[in-house]
Amino acid sequence: MKPRLIPFVAAPQQMQAFVDFSTAMAKDGVEPSLAELVKIRASQINHCAFCLHMHTREALAQGESELRLTMLAAWEESPLYTDRERAALAWTEALTLLPETSAQDDVYAELQAHFTPEEQVKLTMLIGIINAWNRFGVGFRGVHAVPHAEKAAA
Protein backbone atom coordinates (compact mmCIF):
# COMPACT_ATOMS: atom_id res chain seq x y z
CA MET A 1 0.00 0.00 0.00
CA LYS A 2 1.27 3.36 -0.98
CA PRO A 3 -0.73 6.49 -0.08
CA ARG A 4 -2.05 8.56 -2.95
CA LEU A 5 -2.56 11.75 -0.98
CA ILE A 6 -2.59 12.87 2.64
CA PRO A 7 -5.85 14.84 2.93
CA PHE A 8 -4.80 16.58 6.16
CA VAL A 9 -1.81 18.05 4.31
CA ALA A 10 -3.71 18.86 1.11
CA ALA A 11 -6.73 20.53 2.79
CA PRO A 12 -6.03 21.00 6.51
CA GLN A 13 -8.89 23.42 7.26
CA GLN A 14 -11.53 21.27 5.60
CA MET A 15 -10.24 18.09 7.21
CA GLN A 16 -10.10 19.72 10.65
CA ALA A 17 -13.68 20.91 10.17
CA PHE A 18 -14.69 17.34 9.37
CA VAL A 19 -12.82 16.02 12.43
CA ASP A 20 -14.57 18.63 14.58
CA PHE A 21 -17.97 17.70 13.13
CA SER A 22 -17.31 13.98 13.62
CA THR A 23 -16.19 14.54 17.20
CA ALA A 24 -19.21 16.69 18.02
CA MET A 25 -21.61 14.08 16.64
CA ALA A 26 -19.86 11.30 18.60
CA LYS A 27 -20.24 13.14 21.91
CA ASP A 28 -24.03 12.95 21.83
CA GLY A 29 -24.64 9.91 19.67
CA VAL A 30 -25.41 6.28 20.36
CA GLU A 31 -23.57 4.39 23.10
CA PRO A 32 -19.81 4.16 22.40
CA SER A 33 -19.72 0.35 22.23
CA LEU A 34 -22.43 0.30 19.57
CA ALA A 35 -20.83 3.20 17.71
CA GLU A 36 -17.59 1.24 17.37
CA LEU A 37 -19.41 -1.85 16.08
CA VAL A 38 -21.15 0.30 13.47
CA LYS A 39 -17.90 1.96 12.41
CA ILE A 40 -16.14 -1.38 12.13
CA ARG A 41 -18.96 -3.01 10.16
CA ALA A 42 -19.17 -0.16 7.65
CA SER A 43 -15.37 -0.18 7.33
CA GLN A 44 -15.43 -3.95 6.68
CA ILE A 45 -17.96 -3.47 3.89
CA ASN A 46 -15.95 -0.59 2.41
CA HIS A 47 -12.61 -2.42 2.83
CA CYS A 48 -11.08 0.50 4.71
CA ALA A 49 -8.04 -0.94 6.48
CA PHE A 50 -7.15 2.41 8.07
CA CYS A 51 -10.56 2.74 9.74
CA LEU A 52 -10.71 -0.97 10.64
CA HIS A 53 -7.40 -0.67 12.43
CA MET A 54 -8.43 2.49 14.28
CA HIS A 55 -11.90 1.42 15.36
CA THR A 56 -10.97 -2.14 16.26
CA ARG A 57 -8.28 -0.79 18.58
CA GLU A 58 -10.75 1.71 20.06
CA ALA A 59 -13.34 -1.01 20.61
CA LEU A 60 -10.81 -3.24 22.35
CA ALA A 61 -9.68 -0.32 24.53
CA GLN A 62 -13.34 0.21 25.55
CA GLY A 63 -13.59 -3.42 26.62
CA GLU A 64 -15.12 -5.02 23.54
CA SER A 65 -14.30 -8.72 23.21
CA GLU A 66 -12.05 -10.09 20.52
CA LEU A 67 -14.65 -12.76 19.77
CA ARG A 68 -17.40 -10.22 19.03
CA LEU A 69 -15.02 -8.25 16.80
CA THR A 70 -13.95 -11.42 15.00
CA MET A 71 -17.55 -12.46 14.41
CA LEU A 72 -18.79 -9.02 13.35
CA ALA A 73 -18.59 -9.77 9.62
CA ALA A 74 -21.01 -12.66 10.26
CA TRP A 75 -23.18 -10.98 12.91
CA GLU A 76 -26.40 -12.35 11.42
CA GLU A 77 -25.25 -15.92 12.12
CA SER A 78 -23.92 -15.25 15.62
CA PRO A 79 -25.78 -15.12 18.96
CA LEU A 80 -23.24 -12.63 20.32
CA TYR A 81 -25.22 -9.46 19.48
CA THR A 82 -28.28 -7.93 21.12
CA ASP A 83 -31.45 -7.16 19.19
CA ARG A 84 -30.57 -3.45 19.39
CA GLU A 85 -27.09 -4.12 17.97
CA ARG A 86 -28.59 -6.30 15.23
CA ALA A 87 -30.98 -3.53 14.23
CA ALA A 88 -28.11 -1.04 14.10
CA LEU A 89 -25.88 -3.38 12.11
CA ALA A 90 -28.65 -4.13 9.61
CA TRP A 91 -29.27 -0.38 9.21
CA THR A 92 -25.52 0.16 8.78
CA GLU A 93 -25.41 -2.40 5.99
CA ALA A 94 -28.56 -1.03 4.36
CA LEU A 95 -27.17 2.51 4.22
CA THR A 96 -23.59 1.53 3.38
CA LEU A 97 -24.86 -0.60 0.49
CA LEU A 98 -27.62 1.85 -0.41
CA PRO A 99 -27.63 1.31 -4.21
CA GLU A 100 -28.18 -2.41 -3.59
CA THR A 101 -30.64 -2.21 -0.70
CA SER A 102 -32.67 1.00 -1.07
CA ALA A 103 -32.86 0.97 2.76
CA GLN A 104 -35.49 -1.79 2.95
CA ASP A 105 -38.71 -1.22 4.90
CA ASP A 106 -38.24 -4.33 7.04
CA VAL A 107 -34.79 -3.15 8.13
CA TYR A 108 -36.20 0.26 8.99
CA ALA A 109 -39.09 -1.30 10.93
CA GLU A 110 -36.57 -3.23 13.04
CA LEU A 111 -34.62 -0.02 13.59
CA GLN A 112 -37.80 1.70 14.78
CA ALA A 113 -38.44 -1.12 17.24
CA HIS A 114 -35.12 -0.53 19.02
CA PHE A 115 -34.28 3.15 18.54
CA THR A 116 -36.15 6.36 19.28
CA PRO A 117 -36.59 8.81 16.40
CA GLU A 118 -33.73 10.91 17.79
CA GLU A 119 -31.49 7.85 18.07
CA GLN A 120 -32.37 6.88 14.49
CA VAL A 121 -31.11 10.26 13.31
CA LYS A 122 -27.94 10.00 15.42
CA LEU A 123 -27.23 6.48 14.18
CA THR A 124 -27.84 7.48 10.56
CA MET A 125 -25.49 10.44 11.04
CA LEU A 126 -22.84 8.11 12.46
CA ILE A 127 -23.21 5.76 9.50
CA GLY A 128 -22.89 8.65 7.07
CA ILE A 129 -19.79 9.96 8.85
CA ILE A 130 -17.95 6.63 8.91
CA ASN A 131 -18.79 6.04 5.27
CA ALA A 132 -17.29 9.45 4.44
CA TRP A 133 -14.14 8.61 6.44
CA ASN A 134 -13.95 5.28 4.60
CA ARG A 135 -13.96 7.16 1.30
CA PHE A 136 -10.96 9.20 2.44
CA GLY A 137 -9.16 6.09 3.65
CA VAL A 138 -9.81 3.94 0.61
CA GLY A 139 -9.80 6.69 -2.01
CA PHE A 140 -6.49 8.19 -0.92
CA ARG A 141 -5.07 4.80 0.18
CA GLY A 142 -4.58 5.72 3.83
CA VAL A 143 -2.14 3.28 5.39
CA HIS A 144 -2.67 2.22 8.99
CA ALA A 145 0.21 1.97 11.43
CA VAL A 146 1.98 -1.39 11.37
CA PRO A 147 4.40 -2.46 14.10
CA HIS A 148 7.71 -3.48 12.53
CA ALA A 149 7.41 -7.02 13.92
CA GLU A 150 4.11 -7.53 12.08
CA LYS A 151 5.11 -6.27 8.63
CA ALA A 152 4.77 -8.79 5.84
CA ALA A 153 7.98 -10.25 4.46
CA ALA A 154 8.70 -9.06 0.96
Side-chain angles (χ1 to χ4, degrees):
M1 282 289 301
K2 185 174 169 187
R4 290 178 172 164
L5 176 97
I6 300 171
F8 287 92
V9 173
Q13 287 180 303
Q14 292 79 5
M15 293 306 297
Q16 187 58 54
F18 194 53
V19 167
D20 294 344
F21 173 70
S22 300
T23 303
M25 292 299 101
K27 286 182 181 174
D28 189 33
V30 298
E31 58 271 28
S33 60
L34 179 58
E36 291 306 323
L37 292 177
V38 165
K39 291 174 194 176
I40 294 165
R41 185 64 192 123
S43 298
Q44 288 173 332
I45 294 167
N46 290 320
H47 299 182
C48 185
F50 187 92
C51 292
L52 278 169
H53 181 256
M54 176 190 305
H55 295 294
T56 300
R57 289 176 52 136
E58 288 178 9
L60 288 168
Q62 291 174 10
E64 185 59 76
S65 78
E66 287 187 35
L67 180 58
R68 281 174 34 101
L69 294 178
T70 299
M71 298 305 295
L72 188 55
W75 64 268
E76 290 177 294
E77 290 83 35
S78 175
L80 297 173
Y81 306 95
T82 67
D83 289 343
R84 179 176 167 87
E85 290 168 336
R86 291 175 176 286
L89 293 168
W91 190 239
T92 300
E93 291 184 3
L95 296 185
T96 301
L97 300 167
L98 194 57
E100 298 168 33
T101 69
S102 298
Q104 313 95 309
D105 289 338
D106 61 327
V107 173
Y108 183 67
E110 194 63 24
L111 182 75
Q112 287 180 302
H114 297 282
F115 290 84
T116 67
E118 181 180 3
E119 289 174 324
Q120 291 173 42
V121 171
K122 290 176 179 182
L123 179 61
T124 300
M125 184 73 70
L126 173 66
I127 295 165
I129 290 168
I130 191 57
N131 273 280
W133 281 117
N134 290 165
R135 272 106 184 113
F136 283 106
V138 174
F140 295 129
R141 302 289 191 258
V143 179
H144 65 87
V146 179
H148 182 69
E150 295 189 29
K151 288 188 179 180

